[in-house]
Amino acid sequence: MRVVLLGPPGAGKGTQAKGIANAYAIPHISTGDLFRENLKNKTPLGVKAQSYMDAGKLVPDELVIALVEDRIERDDCKNGYLLDGFPRTVAQAEALKAFNEKMGHPLDFAVNISVPSDILVDRITGRRSCPACGATYHIRYNAPKTEGICDNDGTALIQRDDDKPETVKTRIDVYEEESAPLVGYYDKLGKLVTIDGTQSPAEVAEAIKVALGGAR
Ligand code: AP5
Ligand code: ZN
């Protein structure tokens, strides 16, 4: 199963990704997580990406496309993958299509998690992440058992640098301009599935399961 997850910042892509990846036994590949990992390790790619991410802008296509192709060429993607946060531009989608055609494995679904922008700001500014295990929480909608502490490992939760209110607005604007056209792009290809992302996380998960054929 080859799936891409579309949706604005804060739509719940990361929240849903683990469940889908587990259900289909495919790797969850988040370009945002890959960039944050590179940034933490101060790799040349991380250094190049940092200024774009801090400003809430997209990292240039050529860097992202090379990163993703390198990742999905690996053995663990033989039976598929779940891409979270990629593609984000039509150029990235075209590159993925060409890559899949070359490998002889077409994309199965583009799952679009749809959420209006007034809800997104509240979700993103309330998000807290665990720097140790990557788990994400929300101060109200998905709070940890102890305030500010990861349930899994007791680590103090942090706020992502790009989750500050001033950067969030830019990220939403960039989504509207550069990434929203992908909804029409995948609709034309007959791959689009749209899910109402304003429901609870469990309801969103169920709707995705049904849309992908109920195979879990
Ligand atoms: P990335 O990490 O991909 O960020 P994003 O797309 O902005 O997505 P988010 O992680 O903010 O949101 P999400 O949809 O995963 O929401 P979540 O599940 O956490 O990218 C970061 C940066 O990297 C980009 O700005 C760019 O610079 C660069 N980048 C990455 N990919 C790139 C690419 N392809 N091209 C160029 N540049 C790229 O949920 C959000 C919050 O809401 C959480 O607190 C959660 O608990 C809560 N929540 C989730 N679901 C629900 C629900 N149903 N009800 C209530 N609350 C909910
Ligand atoms: Zn943790």
Side-chain angles (χ1 to χ4, degrees):
M1 173 84 81
R2 288 171 179 77
V3 183
V4 299
L5 268 185
L6 307 176
K13 302 182 293 297
T15 300
Q16 297 299 331
K18 203 174 279 261
I20 305 170
N22 285 343
Y24 291 96
I26 48 177
H28 164 213
I29 301 168
S30 153
T31 42
D33 287 350
L34 289 175
F35 282 127
R36 279 185 288 278
E37 183 76 25
N38 275 277
L39 220 130
K40 197 167 95 186
N41 297 326
K42 300 194 167 50
T43 68
L45 179 65
V47 171
K48 279 187 201 150
Q50 179 157 26
S51 59
Y52 299 99
M53 294 178 74
D54 284 350
K57 305 248 168 80
L58 294 184
V59 177
D61 283 336
E62 61 274 18
L63 294 180
V64 192
I65 292 167
L67 176 77
V68 170
E69 289 190 352
D70 182 58
R71 180 64 188 83
I72 63 179
E73 247 167 9
R74 289 200 216 151
D75 263 6
D76 64 343
C77 292
K78 265 203 320 265
N79 297 320
Y81 50 70
L82 174 69
L83 289 174
D84 160 10
F86 181 94
R88 256 179 157 94
T89 62
V90 171
Q92 292 178 17
E94 291 286 0
L96 179 65
K97 187 160 173 283
F99 183 87
N100 284 337
E101 277 165 9
K102 189 177 84 188
M103 306 303 273
H105 298 302
L107 186 77
D108 295 293
F109 293 105
V111 176
N112 175 37
I113 306 184
S114 170
V115 177
S117 45
D118 52 331
I119 298 182
L120 300 173
V121 177
D122 183 38
R123 283 199 190 171
I124 302 177
T125 49
R127 171 168 52 193
R128 298 293 180 271
S129 327
C130 173
C133 72
T136 55
Y137 299 87
H138 190 281
I139 51 172
R140 286 187 306 282
Y141 311 132
N142 178 22
K145 290 192 187 86
T146 310
E147 194 187 326
I149 301 293
C150 178
D151 290 346
N152 301 333
D153 46 37
T155 307
L157 301 177
I158 54 165
Q159 186 175 35
R160 251 167 63 175
D161 282 342
D162 61 347
D163 280 355
K164 310 274 154 57
E166 57 280 14
T167 318
V168 170
K169 177 160 185 331
T170 308
R171 284 166 57 204
I172 294 173
D173 289 348
V174 168
Y175 168 82
E176 288 299 338
E177 240 168 72
E178 311 231 28
S179 310
L182 292 173
V183 174
Y185 175 92
Y186 283 113
D187 194 19
K188 270 203 198 110
L189 292 177
K191 310 273 184 199
L192 186 73
V193 166
T194 293
I195 305 290
D196 173 7
T198 62
Q199 309 170 87
S200 73
E203 287 167 330
V204 175
E206 183 58 25
I208 294 176
K209 171 182 155 185
V210 171
L212 299 192
R216 59 179 151 142

